[in-house]
Amino acid sequence: MTLLDYTFIWKGLLSGLLISASTALIGVFLLMKRLSLIGAGLSHAAFGGIALAILFNADPTLFTVFYTLLSGIILQYLIESKGLPADTVISLFFSVGVALAVVILGITQNLGTNVYSYLFGSILTVSDTELFSAVATSIFTFLFIFINYRKLLLISFNEEIATLRGVKVRVLNYMLVSVASINIVFAIKAVGLILASSFIAIPPMSALLICTSFFSTMMVSVSVSFIATVFGILLSLRLDIPPSGSVVLSMVFIFLIFTIWKVFLNLKKRSLRAF
């Protein structure tokens, strides 16, 4: 019997691949809109939702989805309507989420194994409900991007032109942040809230190094996320190390390879111009 014969490994792999693909796609749009840090802000804000769910004895995943979704909508409102700098608002949500969680978990004496799994992820303990939720979230994300691809592409580069062409920019921005919020909650299950923002930021960053078109950036971003997730999980099983760390380090490794390749191409172009 091999490792892949175990059901929990297939469930973890499938859940990880679906979430990594949808977060990688959403991450490209957020990166182009200079909102890549929103992943870190919302994942840490979600920690407050997890603590509240434990306090109220509610379903942690369901409660955190609604909590993070609401946080994302308020965050977008503060950025868009109040004109506050995005990095400042994201830092505020980052701090409030962690502070709220520390206070609640300290009062309720719940700083145990359950919280540890949210901090560092537990992708190989995915339940049937969580797997179904990951499938539903991914399908919803793919449909959202497929239906609104041209509009999302336009608002990613120039919102003023998008407005002139009749695109409902505000509505689409709120929808984009909402979809990102839901994806971040399931990324927390995979790699923990400390590393969840990596799913949003690293694959698109890697793709931008070598791609020349928006569509190819999306495809390479998903491919990077896929390869890193599969390699990271299999590596963690072989070496008996936490899968969250090995998945994110695999993403960083691919990013470094792309960076070296980019530097090599630039040097080659300069040498050709010199001749």
Side-chain angles (χ1 to χ4, degrees):
M1 180 175 279
T2 65
L3 288 172
L4 295 178
D5 292 325
Y6 292 97
T7 305
F8 74 94
I9 292 177
W10 276 112
K11 284 165 64 177
L13 265 175
L14 181 58
S15 174
L17 288 173
L18 288 169
I19 291 302
S20 65
S22 55
T23 50
L25 284 175
I26 286 290
V28 174
F29 294 101
L30 293 177
L31 196 67
M32 298 306 294
K33 290 173 67 62
R34 300 181 186 279
L35 285 174
S36 59
L37 281 177
I38 203 170
L42 288 177
S43 62
H44 285 76
F47 195 23
I50 292 166
L52 284 171
I54 293 173
L55 177 66
F56 297 137
N57 200 25
D59 182 88
T61 303
L62 188 61
F63 187 91
T64 308
V65 165
F66 284 107
Y67 179 89
T68 311
L69 185 59
L70 181 62
S71 299
I73 291 172
I74 296 173
L75 186 149
Q76 178 62 25
Y77 172 77
L78 292 174
I79 294 173
E80 198 167 271
S81 300
K82 299 301 177 185
L84 296 173
D87 55 348
T88 304
V89 179
I90 290 170
S91 300
L92 174 67
F93 276 72
F94 187 107
S95 304
V96 170
V98 174
L100 182 64
V102 169
V103 169
I104 292 174
L105 296 175
I107 292 173
T108 57
Q109 301 290 313
N110 251 317
L111 287 165
T113 308
N114 196 30
V115 174
Y116 182 88
S117 71
Y118 288 111
L119 285 172
F120 301 104
S122 53
I123 195 169
L124 296 179
T125 60
V126 172
S127 66
D128 290 340
T129 304
E130 288 168 337
L131 178 60
F132 174 77
S133 302
V135 172
T137 301
S138 300
I139 292 174
F140 177 74
T141 303
F142 297 147
L143 286 175
F144 169 71
I145 293 175
F146 179 75
I147 293 170
N148 300 290
Y149 177 72
R150 291 185 181 279
K151 295 175 183 175
L152 288 169
L153 182 62
L154 204 53
I155 67 167
S156 298
F157 287 98
N158 196 316
E159 291 190 353
E160 291 181 359
I161 293 177
T163 304
L164 290 172
R165 292 196 175 186
V167 177
K168 294 179 180 177
V169 174
R170 291 192 67 185
V171 174
L172 212 52
N173 277 334
Y174 276 106
M175 290 175 70
L176 180 64
V177 172
S178 299
V179 173
S181 302
I182 297 171
N183 274 278
I184 285 167
V185 174
F186 289 102
I188 289 174
K189 180 64 183 178
V191 293
L193 64 93
I194 294 175
L195 299 174
S197 58
S198 307
F199 271 36
I200 292 280
I202 299 177
M205 283 166 53
S206 305
L208 281 173
L209 286 171
I210 61 169
C211 295
T212 55
S213 73
F214 194 85
F215 185 76
S216 63
T217 302
M218 291 173 62
M219 295 299 103
V220 172
S221 177
V222 172
S223 301
V224 168
S225 212
F226 259 53
I227 293 169
T229 300
V230 173
F231 184 73
I233 290 176
L234 295 179
L235 190 66
S236 74
L237 292 169
R238 289 292 179 191
L239 302 180
D240 193 23
I241 56 177
S244 55
S246 59
V247 168
V248 175
L249 283 178
S250 299
M251 287 182 183
V252 174
F253 181 69
I254 295 172
F255 175 78
L256 290 175
I257 291 175
F258 284 7
T259 303
I260 293 170
W261 177 247
K262 179 75 174 178
V263 171
F264 171 75
L265 288 180
N266 287 338
L267 289 174
K268 189 177 178 182
K269 284 181 182 176
R270 288 181 185 176
S271 63
L272 288 173
R273 286 174 188 167
F275 285 105

